[in-house]
C-alpha cells in the first residue's frame, strides 16, 4: 500500500461529491479539504499553532522556491520540512512545474527537462523529472507531485497533445526516480481544454498506479464554465479509490462546483494574497475592508464567523491598521480568509454526510457574488 492512501467514506447520491479520508504518515485528514499554501516553508504571517487552531490539515510548500532558497540540502540537514518549519500535520510539495511554466520568457523546455533563469538572481538552473523528485524527497513532505508541463490557455490541439504526451513520459521518469517509502507520489493529469487529451492523460497515469492524482492546467485563464466542463471530463476517468486534487483553485464558488464533480483536495494562494490587499472573503463574495465605507463600522468582518479576527476586532480597526501600514492588519485578514475556506470545506463535508450537498451548493451559489 502507498504511504499516502485515500479512503472513500461516502458518495453523494445525486452528484459526484465524495466524503473521504486521506491517510498520511502525519495523520488522517478529512476530505474535501482546502490546503493553505506555505510557499517558502511558511504560511504568510501565521504560526503552525494558529493553523492548527483554525482547522488546517495538509499544507503546501513550493519546490521551485525552496530549490532556489534556502536549498533542499539545507532542509534535508534540518530533518525535512516538517522539522524545519515545525508543522506536525500533513504536507504536500508541488513539483515546480507550474512555477517554471509561469516564467514563460525565462525558460526552455526540452525532453530532458527545463532550463530556466532564477527570478532571484538571474542564474541558470535546470529541473528535470529526476531532479524535481530528488528535491522533493529531500524536502520530505508526505505527498510529492510528479514534474509536469502546464499547458497555457489558449493552446492548439497539436501543441497540447505533444505536451500531454511529454507529461506522461516525465511522470514515468518521476516514478522510476522515486525511492522514499514514507512519501507518496501523485501524478498530474494534463490535456489542456481538450476532453480527448484529458482522457488520454488520465488513462496513461492511472496505468502507472500513482498514490493520487493532481488535475493541472485548469484555472489558467479559461472561462469558468469551460473549466467545469473539462474537469467533469477528467474526474470521470480517474479511479474512485484515489484522491483527486484540483491544483491552484481556491475560491468557494469553484470549490463547491468541483466537489460536485468529484474533487477531494484544493490549494490556492488567493485567500492569503487578497488578505494582503485588504480584502476579506465572506459567504456573499468579498468585502474590501480598506474602503472608506468601513471607517466607522464597528461590526466584525462577518458576524456569523467564529475566527479569532471576527471574535475580537472590528472592520474600522482593521481598516485603520491597513491605512497605517501595520503588519497586524495582514495577519488578521489572513487568519479570517483561511478560516473561512477551511470552515467552508467543513460545511461541504457535513452536507455530503447529511445527504444535502446539492441543496447546500444551490443555496451557497445563489447568494455568492464574484
Amino acid at each position: 500500500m502507498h504511504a499516502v492512501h485515500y479512503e472513500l467514506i461516502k458518495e453523494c447520491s445525486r452528484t459526484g461529491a465524495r466524503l473521504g479520508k486521506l491517510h498520511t504518515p502525519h495523520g488522517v485528514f478529512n476530505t474535501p479539504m482546502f490546503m493553505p499554501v506555505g510557499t517558502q516553508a511558511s504560511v504568510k504571517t501565521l504560526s503552525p499553532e494558529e493553523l492548527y487552531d483554525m482547522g488546517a490539515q495538509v499544507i503546501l510548500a513550493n519546490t521551485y522556491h525552496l530549490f532556489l532558497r534556502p536549498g533542499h540540502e539545507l532542509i534535508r540537514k534540518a530533518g525535512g520540512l516538517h522539522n524545519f518549519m515545525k508543522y506536525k500535520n500533513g504536507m504536500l510539495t508541488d513539483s515546480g512545474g507550474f512555477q517554471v511554466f509561469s516564467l514563460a520568457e525565462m525558460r526552455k523546455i526540452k525532453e530532458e527537462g527545463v532550463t530556466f533563469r532564477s527570478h532571484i538572481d538571474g542564474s541558470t538552473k535546470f529541473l528535470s523529472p529526476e531532479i524535481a523528485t530528488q528535491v522533493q524527497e529531500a524536502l520530505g513532505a508526505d505527498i510529492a507531485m510528479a514534474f509536469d508541463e502546464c499547458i497555457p490557455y489558449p493552446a492548439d490541439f497539436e501543441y497540447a497533445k505533444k505536451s500531454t504526451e511529454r507529461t506522461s513520459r516525465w511522470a514515468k521518469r518521476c516514478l522510476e526516480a522515486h525511492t522514499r517509502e514514507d512519501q507518496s507520489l501523485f501524478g498530474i493529469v494534463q490535456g489542456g481544454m481538450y476532453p480527448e487529451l484529458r482522457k488520454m492523460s488520465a488513462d496513461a497515469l492511472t496505468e502507472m498506479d500513482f498514490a493520487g492524482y493532481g488535475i493541472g492546467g485548469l484555472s489558467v485563464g479559461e472561462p469558468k464554465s469551460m473549466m467545469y466542463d473539462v474537469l467533469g471530463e477528467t474526474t470521470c476517468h480517474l479511479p474512485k479509490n484515489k484522491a483527486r486534487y484540483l491544483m491552484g483553485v481556491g475560491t468557494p464558488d469553484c470549490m463547491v462546483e468541483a466537489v460536485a464533480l468529484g474533487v477531494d483536495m484544493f490549494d490556492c494562494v488567493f485567500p492569503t494574497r487578497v488578505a494582503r490587499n485588504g480584502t476579506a472573503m465572506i459567504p456573499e463574495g468579498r468585502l474590501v475592508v480598506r474602503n472608506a465605507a468601513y471607517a466607522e463600522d464597528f461590526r466584525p468582518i462577518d458576524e456569523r464567523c467564529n475566527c479569532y479576527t471576527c471574535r475580537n476586532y472590528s472592520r474600522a480597526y482593521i481598516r485603520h491598521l491597513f491605512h497605517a501600514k501595520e503588519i497586524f492588519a495582514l495577519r488578521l485578514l489572513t487568519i479570517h480568509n483561511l478560516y473561512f475556506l477551511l470552515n467552508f470545506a467543513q460545511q461541504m463535508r457535513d452536507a455530503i454526510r447529511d445527504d444535502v450537498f446539492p441543496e447546500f451548493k444551490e443555496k451557497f451559489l445563489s447568494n455568492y457574488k464574484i
Side-chain angles (χ1 to χ4, degrees):
M1 185 180 282
H2 294 285
V4 173
H5 61 277
Y6 174 80
E7 178 188 0
L8 178 61
I9 303 296
K10 183 174 184 176
E11 196 165 15
C12 173
S13 60
R14 291 171 285 163
T15 69
R18 293 145 47 100
L19 186 69
K21 290 189 179 294
L22 190 71
H23 296 256
T24 82
H26 286 87
V28 180
F29 306 107
N30 300 309
T31 65
M33 68 163 67
F34 176 76
M35 301 181 288
V37 178
T39 302
Q40 317 251 18
S42 172
V43 176
K44 291 198 187 324
T45 77
L46 301 187
S47 71
E49 289 72 24
E50 287 167 320
L51 290 166
Y52 307 146
D53 286 348
M54 64 177 70
Q57 303 183 99
V58 180
I59 65 170
L60 260 72
N62 189 285
T63 296
Y64 166 84
H65 287 280
L66 298 176
F67 173 62
L68 296 179
R69 181 176 59 195
H72 56 290
E73 287 303 336
L74 184 145
I75 294 174
R76 189 204 301 273
K77 287 177 187 172
L81 266 178
H82 279 95
N83 198 50
F84 188 51
M85 63 186 289
K86 300 299 179 192
Y87 189 74
K88 69 183 181 184
N89 287 348
M91 202 174 293
L92 180 153
T93 46
D94 62 10
S95 67
F98 180 80
Q99 283 69 35
V100 170
F101 151 79
S102 65
L103 292 170
E105 304 304 315
M106 297 167 65
R107 53 131 168 97
K108 192 166 191 176
I109 302 171
K110 291 186 175 178
E111 188 64 27
E112 301 78 42
V114 184
T115 303
F116 62 95
R117 290 206 311 276
S118 164
H119 73 284
I120 297 171
D121 60 11
S123 60
T124 300
K125 303 287 183 184
F126 178 71
L127 269 179
S128 66
E130 291 78 11
I131 293 171
T133 302
Q134 289 157 11
V135 170
Q136 290 183 88
E137 288 196 342
L139 297 176
D142 303 275
I143 299 169
M145 301 302 296
F147 191 62
D148 64 325
E149 182 183 345
C150 185
I151 300 168
Y153 173 80
D156 65 57
F157 183 85
E158 281 310 310
Y159 174 92
K161 185 171 186 287
K162 286 178 181 174
S163 174
T164 302
E165 289 170 343
R166 177 181 285 149
T167 284
S168 294
R169 292 193 297 273
W170 282 1
K172 189 169 186 291
R173 285 166 58 186
C174 288
L175 271 179
E176 289 167 352
H178 190 260
T179 60
R180 187 162 179 160
E181 292 184 359
D182 62 346
Q183 179 187 68
S184 282
L185 194 63
F186 280 24
I188 301 177
V189 179
Q190 290 289 350
M193 302 302 150
Y194 301 98
E196 59 268 53
L197 296 184
R198 288 281 169 178
K199 181 182 186 305
M200 180 182 82
S201 180
D203 288 349
L205 294 176
T206 299
E207 202 171 303
M208 297 180 207
D209 190 34
F210 282 93
Y213 296 92
I215 300 164
L218 291 177
S219 193
V220 290
E222 78 280 8
K224 284 185 179 179
S225 59
M226 180 182 285
M227 178 176 83
Y228 302 144
D229 287 345
V230 174
L231 184 58
E233 293 285 351
T234 305
T235 52
C236 65
H237 299 297
L238 292 174
K240 288 203 169 189
N241 65 336
K242 301 287 180 72
R244 302 161 180 174
Y245 160 32
L246 179 55
M247 305 177 73
V249 170
T251 57
D253 56 325
C254 292
M255 285 171 61
V256 76
E257 294 278 11
V259 165
L261 295 169
V263 171
D264 309 300
M265 302 163 66
F266 302 88
D267 82 287
C268 196
V269 297
F270 180 83
T272 49
R273 179 175 289 164
V274 300
R276 299 194 297 278
N277 295 326
T279 299
M281 302 175 73
I282 58 174
E284 293 74 29
R286 300 169 199 172
L287 186 148
V288 184
V289 77
R290 287 182 293 104
N291 287 354
Y294 306 113
E296 296 184 14
D297 191 335
F298 301 109
R299 294 174 296 169
I301 290 167
D302 185 353
E303 288 165 332
R304 299 155 294 185
C305 180
N306 197 40
C307 77
Y308 167 80
T309 303
C310 289
R311 292 198 317 268
N312 292 285
Y313 300 101
S314 69
R315 298 173 180 185
Y317 177 64
I318 297 168
R319 179 182 183 274
H320 155 69
L321 293 180
F322 267 99
H323 284 270
K325 295 184 167 50
E326 286 290 340
I327 295 170
F328 194 37
L330 312 186
R331 279 178 38 74
L332 289 177
L333 276 197
T334 300
I335 287 168
H336 169 79
N337 283 354
L338 286 178
Y339 179 94
F340 171 81
L341 278 186
L342 293 165
N343 186 56
F344 184 69
Q346 178 65 60
Q347 290 172 357
M348 288 194 288
R349 294 194 293 268
D350 291 344
I352 299 167
R353 186 197 63 217
D354 296 341
D355 289 319
V356 294
F357 182 77
E359 291 81 5
F360 171 84
K361 173 175 175 270
E362 184 181 356
K363 183 179 178 183
F364 178 80
L365 291 175
S366 68
N367 292 319
Y368 188 80
K369 303 292 181 285
I370 298 168

